Amino acid sequence: DAKTTQPPSMDCAEGRAANLPCNHSTISGNEYVYWYRQIHSQGPQYIIHGLKNNETNEMASLIITEDRKSSTLILPHATLRDTAVYYCIVRNYGQNFVFGPGTRLSVLP
Amino acid sequence: AAGVIQSPRHLIKEKRETATLKCYPIPRHDTVYWYQQGPGQDPQFLISFYEKMQSDKGSIPDRFSAQQFSDYHSELNMSSLELGDSALYFCASTVAAIGSTYNEQFFGPGTRLTVL
């Protein structure tokens, strides 16, 4: 079973920041937080991952709370092409990914 | 940059037939994962291979088998196909480098299998 809880859906206006929350209250010390997204039946796309520090790359920022029990994925300027299902996954090194229901993000014009 | 290649992209089979799906990982990737995604469902892990040996097993039916070859490509063999096997099948690859923190999986475009 997935170790994370995400809202089933969210809307965001185009050009605004999209903040996607994830709860992972049972995360253990060695487990990383990964974010993937899937755009309509395409292969899941890696976005970002982190252990305990906040991370940023060209796609997004990942904010992890100090107790590591929750995190937020931030897409700074959402576009229509960011409409997708976003998966927050907690995973230890080398394990397979367990995909939960994810959040269906709709970016609205 | 090179990505994961899967073939065929679409496959239509009859019940009780067999099917073989192929996955070509990103060059220098040594680990391959297979996932199944049914209609309206989330991807579910089936099986994985590291250096040609099975490394983990998920909810893969006994009718399915898989292997990884010396060139690291992998094949998923499916026999006695059932209607419920209709799904997207994704392959993902990664490098299981010791000490590396960047162990994310890169997914291929998937094979859409339809069983009639």
Side-chain angles (χ1 to χ4, degrees), chain A residues 32 34 36 38 41-46 49 55 85 87 91-102, chain B residues 33 35 37 41-45 56 88 90 96-109 112:
Chain A
Y32 284 73
Y34 288 77
Y36 277 75
Q38 187 174 29
S41 298
Q42 296 180 21
Q45 178 189 20
Y46 167 79
H49 76 286
E55 302 287 344
V85 177
Y87 294 101
R91 170 179 176 260
N92 209 333
Y93 178 84
Q95 291 179 336
N96 66 80
F97 286 97
V98 178
F99 288 84
Chain B
Y33 300 79
Y35 292 82
Q37 186 173 26
Q41 298 181 0
D42 306 302
Q44 298 293 316
F45 169 71
D56 200 1
L88 272 167
F90 292 108
I98 301 297
S100 170
T101 62
Y102 292 97
N103 197 223
E104 66 268 30
Q105 296 177 14
F106 296 90
F107 284 77
R112 182 176 293 281

Side-chain angles (χ1 to χ4, degrees), chain B residues 1-76:
Chain B
V4 176
I5 297 172
Q6 292 188 245
S7 68
R9 294 292 310 278
H10 301 271
L11 188 60
I12 299 175
K13 290 286 185 178
E14 301 275 343
K15 280 194 309 184
R16 292 180 289 279
E17 285 191 321
T18 62
T20 297
L21 310 185
K22 296 184 179 183
C23 169
Y24 297 88
I26 292 172
R28 293 183 294 279
H29 281 197
D30 53 15
T31 305
V32 167
Y33 300 79
W34 285 97
Y35 292 82
Q36 177 192 58
Q37 186 173 26
Q41 298 181 0
D42 306 302
Q44 298 293 316
F45 169 71
L46 291 178
I47 195 166
S48 62
F49 291 87
Y50 166 65
E51 284 289 347
K52 295 153 281 189
M53 298 289 290
Q54 181 182 309
S55 54
D56 200 1
K57 194 172 182 180
S59 51
I60 184 169
D62 292 340
R63 299 177 290 107
F64 293 7
S65 65
Q67 58 182 326
Q68 186 180 31
F69 294 86
S70 56
D71 63 352
Y72 296 109
H73 94 272
S74 178
E75 295 183 1
L76 178 65

Side-chain angles (χ1 to χ4, degrees), chain A residues 29-55:
Chain A
N30 297 326
E31 290 180 319
Y32 284 73
V33 179
Y34 288 77
W35 283 84
Y36 277 75
R37 72 181 182 184
Q38 187 174 29
I39 299 172
H40 189 56
S41 298
Q42 296 180 21
Q45 178 189 20
Y46 167 79
I47 301 174
I48 199 167
H49 76 286
L51 182 62
K52 54 184 178 181
N53 297 322
N54 297 337
E55 302 287 344

Side-chain angles (χ1 to χ4, degrees), chain A residues 1 4 6 11 14 22 28 30 33 36 43 54 58-60 68 70-71 74 77-78 87 89-90 92 98-99 102 109:
Chain A
D1 292 335
T4 62
Q6 299 177 248
D11 292 339
E14 188 178 18
C22 179
S28 66
N30 297 326
V33 179
Y36 277 75
N54 297 337
E58 65 277 5
M59 289 183 68
R68 303 210 322 124
S70 65
S71 60
I74 301 173
H77 306 286
Y87 294 101
I89 302 168
V90 165
N92 209 333
V98 178
F99 288 84

